[in-house]
Amino acid sequence: ANWMPDLFMKRVRDELDWTLFSPDETPDLHHIYGKKFEATYEKYEKMAKEGKVSLYKVVKARDLWRRMLTMLFETGHPWITWKDPSNIRSPQDHVGVIHNSNLCTEITLNTSEDETAVCNLGSVNLSRHVMEKRLDQELIRDTVSIAMRMLDNVIDICFYPTVEAKNSNMRHRPVGLGVMGFQDALYLLDINFDSEASCDFADRSQEMVSYYAILTSSELARERGAYQTFKGSKWDRGILPQDTIELLERERGDKIDVPRIERLDWSIVREAIRRNGIRNSNCLAIAPTASISNISGTSSTIEPIYKNLYVKANQSGDFTIINPYLVDDLKKLNLWDYEMLGKIKYLDGSIAEISEIPRWLKEKYKEAFEINPRWLIKSAAYRGRWLDQSQSLNIFYRGSSGKDIADIYMYAWEMGLKTTYYLRTLGASQVEKSTLDASIFGATHRREENMAEALGRVMQLKHTLGVSSEMEILTPAPSISQIMEDSEKIQVVLAKSKEGDAKLCKIDDPNCEACQ
């Protein structure tokens, strides 16, 4: 990962120079941030010009930024993370500096010579808390309260392989309660991911989780005592995570465009902390949850669905997994059958090109690469104001424009994000499908190249069968979905000619591949 100061982002934005130093001549830069970093950095630049620094190099900030993003596009690394928002918004700014995040970029805790940061994680499945088209606040309260107690217990019963790890965890007692099933919750609420309503839900849902997590930690402090370094922390100074957006704005000198409203009565939380202290230095972090989301049968973390259809492999074999919410909606419209499954398979899970599916359904079931990444960033920024740590945020981008990528990450910085995770991009090939008829579609991993060949096969079959004019292909330039639709009609004709009727899947048959 790159641990980026705000000053560098300002230099990129303003097309200015950046000076590279050797850390043996500038040892304090790694341990300071904000305005103090900017003043010290500019002092070293002045010293370099005066010949008082021996090893340095001046480059264009945009050229260095471009090199970073080129590598990011090619490999998914280095992840872009920002030191200033991570430190300025940290509740533990009184006892040390955050020098980096963890591997998945959601943990932002102090480290030092005698402390190795440790964090204990859990996630609330939002989709299990949607009842009757609303997020059930009482159910969130119960789940979060239990989860926080469990996470605090883990600190005491955990095995620590190093003294430094035990020192850190026992002194500060940080935990990271996050969320998963965000996309599934949106499905249940009939909210499109790329919408203002989705950002509003990210804001509201995270406020609920954060409210009860922090309140429970304060109640634990009353029962068990506050963590050792509570005195002097932001908690002790009456500063909650949502208050730190203003601190970041002041230190950075730029407006951060996120809401500032509070829907819940936070005066209760503030009073509890004033009276009891708080048990955990940090309470909130959103981890990737890839494995536990699969185990829980929900969508991963805070991301849009990656694919509406994919194949999962484990020791028991290969399983075709299809988005159950999509299947339910297609059944309601009488659109779910083997033909529809074949189209979705051919299009790698996307339904964007399937003509008989209505537009509103296509909007609801967009896959990750069909959503503008700015929506992921905006919802993360709205959610992030309630977090005392960070969130593991993948960026999904289907293009190859360096300018677009630069704009995406500049937008993430402008919105006050602390960290990002992988940059996910699309490969040039398509997955081969062993369960589709290659005699109709050709090699499906080269779909675009095979359109003309597939069209030729369709026309040849139509000529052979003497298919009526009602099945003529639209002209000019038929789309992939039109070719598929025409070929499937031919298959229906073939089935009728052999058995007198078309064979479709049994919609509610648990042994049917389409209904797995």
Side-chain angles (χ1 to χ4, degrees):
N2 283 324
W3 194 234
M4 321 269 282
D6 278 358
L7 181 61
F8 174 75
M9 299 303 295
K10 292 176 183 177
R11 297 274 183 95
V12 171
R13 180 192 62 194
D14 299 336
E15 300 187 46
L16 300 175
D17 291 337
W18 185 252
T19 307
L20 301 172
F21 293 108
S22 176
D24 69 318
E25 294 183 284
T26 57
D28 52 342
L29 288 181
H30 192 46
H31 306 288
I32 53 178
Y33 54 88
K35 291 180 179 178
K36 185 176 181 181
F37 174 89
E38 293 191 11
T40 306
Y41 186 87
E42 289 169 354
K43 179 194 75 174
Y44 282 123
E45 286 187 312
K46 184 179 178 183
M47 290 172 61
K49 290 178 181 177
E50 295 171 350
K52 297 177 182 177
V53 173
S54 60
L55 188 59
Y56 70 94
K57 182 179 182 180
V58 178
V59 299
K60 294 292 184 185
R62 283 204 173 186
D63 289 345
L64 183 55
W65 179 235
R66 194 174 294 117
R67 290 283 295 274
M68 293 176 187
L69 296 182
T70 299
M71 185 64 70
L72 184 67
F73 176 75
E74 291 175 351
T75 69
H77 295 104
W79 303 323
I80 303 299
T81 60
W82 289 284
K83 70 181 291 187
D84 287 311
S86 296
N87 276 284
I88 291 165
R89 298 192 59 208
S90 169
Q92 289 294 94
D93 56 349
H94 65 308
V95 292
V97 177
I98 301 169
H99 294 98
N100 52 273
S101 76
N102 70 324
L103 172 65
C104 303
T105 78
E106 81 277 13
I107 304 305
T108 50
L109 297 174
N110 302 351
T111 55
S112 64
E113 186 177 359
D114 62 346
E115 288 187 355
T116 301
V118 180
C119 201
N120 311 284
L121 305 179
S123 292
V124 176
N125 183 352
L126 290 178
S127 64
R128 294 294 298 273
H129 294 77
V130 175
M131 302 292 172
E132 299 177 353
K133 294 287 184 179
R134 68 179 183 86
L135 190 62
D136 191 315
Q137 184 172 337
E138 292 185 3
L139 195 55
I140 288 282
R141 179 198 63 198
D142 294 345
T143 299
V144 170
S145 299
I146 294 169
M148 287 297 291
R149 289 178 175 273
M150 292 170 67
L151 290 173
D152 188 64
N153 290 342
V154 168
I155 294 171
D156 296 315
I157 64 177
C158 188
F159 167 74
Y160 296 97
T162 67
V163 173
E164 293 82 3
K166 187 172 184 178
N167 285 344
S168 176
N169 232 29
M170 290 302 179
R171 288 186 70 204
H172 312 304
R173 305 187 68 85
V175 300
L177 186 63
V179 297
M180 59 183 175
F182 181 77
Q183 173 71 93
D184 284 6
L186 292 181
Y187 288 149
L188 292 168
L189 295 167
D190 283 323
I191 296 174
N192 295 342
F193 199 104
D194 51 348
S195 67
E196 291 294 342
S198 175
C199 296
D200 180 69
F201 178 70
D203 189 6
R204 288 187 294 110
S205 59
Q206 191 58 55
E207 180 179 6
M208 278 190 204
V209 173
S210 299
Y211 183 94
Y212 292 111
I214 296 169
L215 184 59
T216 301
S217 185
S218 182
E219 291 171 354
L220 285 168
R222 176 175 55 82
E223 297 172 18
R224 305 174 181 179
Y227 70 95
Q228 292 178 26
T229 56
F230 168 72
K231 289 297 182 182
S233 68
K234 280 191 173 71
W235 306 111
D236 185 39
R237 283 140 52 198
I239 302 171
L240 298 187
Q242 63 267 35
D243 304 328
T244 61
I245 295 293
E246 185 177 348
L247 298 180
L248 179 59
E249 278 186 342
R250 287 208 304 262
E251 197 78 9
R252 183 181 285 183
D254 292 329
K255 175 73 175 173
I256 298 173
D257 189 20
V258 299
R260 308 300 163 90
I261 61 171
E262 295 178 349
R263 296 176 176 86
L264 303 178
D265 185 1
W266 283 86
S267 65
I268 296 172
V269 179
R270 294 175 190 274
E271 174 59 24
I273 295 172
R274 188 194 64 77
R275 187 173 58 250
N276 307 322
I278 196 167
R279 180 68 172 167
N280 312 99
S281 67
N282 298 74
C283 299
L284 301 145
I286 298 178
T289 79
S291 297
I292 63 170
S293 290
N294 276 337
I295 293 168
S296 303
T298 193
S299 55
S300 182
T301 187
I302 51 175
E303 295 177 353
I305 194 167
Y306 187 75
K307 284 288 178 187
N308 283 312
L309 183 146
Y310 62 95
V311 174
K312 181 171 70 176
N314 60 25
Q315 289 181 336
S316 300
D318 294 345
F319 300 90
T320 301
I321 308 298
I322 191 160
N323 184 343
Y325 301 96
L326 171 61
V327 173
D328 286 345
D329 279 347
L330 289 173
K331 285 180 179 179
K332 291 174 186 175
L333 298 172
N334 288 324
L335 291 174
W336 181 245
D337 51 30
Y338 272 131
E339 283 76 14
M340 181 59 69
L341 174 63
K343 290 182 179 184
I344 296 174
K345 281 183 178 180
Y346 186 70
L347 293 165
D348 288 331
S350 173
I351 64 171
E353 294 187 66
I354 301 177
S355 58
E356 59 264 49
I357 294 180
R359 179 171 295 278
W360 67 266
L361 206 62
K362 294 178 180 179
E363 292 293 324
K364 181 177 179 180
Y365 292 105
K366 284 181 178 179
E367 297 177 338
F369 286 106
E370 295 170 340
I371 293 172
N372 188 317
R374 284 175 172 259
W375 286 110
L376 281 78
I377 292 167
K378 188 172 184 178
S379 65
Y382 281 31
R383 181 187 303 110
R385 72 182 176 120
W386 305 108
L387 301 176
D388 52 35
Q389 296 197 68
S390 190
Q391 47 197 315
S392 189
L393 178 69
N394 287 319
I395 304 295
F396 298 88
Y397 175 65
R398 71 184 306 166
S400 58
S401 165
K403 182 181 184 304
D404 283 352
I405 296 172
D407 289 345
I408 288 166
Y409 280 93
M410 182 61 73
Y411 178 65
W413 172 73
E414 290 169 349
M415 292 296 284
L417 293 193
K418 297 175 183 177
T419 62
T420 61
Y421 198 23
Y422 284 99
L423 173 64
R424 306 287 193 184
T425 55
L426 281 173
S429 62
Q430 183 196 9
V431 177
E432 183 64 74
K433 285 86 173 174
S434 60
T435 55
L436 289 182
D437 188 352
S439 68
I440 294 294
F441 298 110
T444 57
H445 64 286
R446 291 182 291 117
R447 183 172 64 220
E448 300 295 340
E449 297 176 15
N450 290 317
M451 282 184 65
E453 186 179 353
L455 178 58
R457 289 195 179 105
V458 169
M459 296 301 291
Q460 185 177 8
L461 275 169
K462 290 176 71 173
H463 177 74
T464 302
L465 293 169
V467 177
S468 64
S469 60
E470 68 178 5
M471 296 173 64
E472 287 298 323
I473 294 175
L474 298 175
T475 58
S479 68
I480 297 171
S481 58
Q482 289 164 352
I483 294 175
M484 290 165 55
E485 182 178 0
D486 209 58
S487 65
E488 287 164 1
K489 288 179 181 177
I490 292 171
Q491 296 302 309
V492 171
V493 172
L494 286 171
K496 284 183 177 180
S497 67
K498 291 179 180 179
E499 302 184 25
D501 197 5
K503 297 197 75 173
L504 303 178
C505 71
K506 297 177 181 178
I507 299 300
D508 294 315
D509 184 351
N511 296 316
C512 172
E513 178 189 21
C515 293
Q516 283 184 5

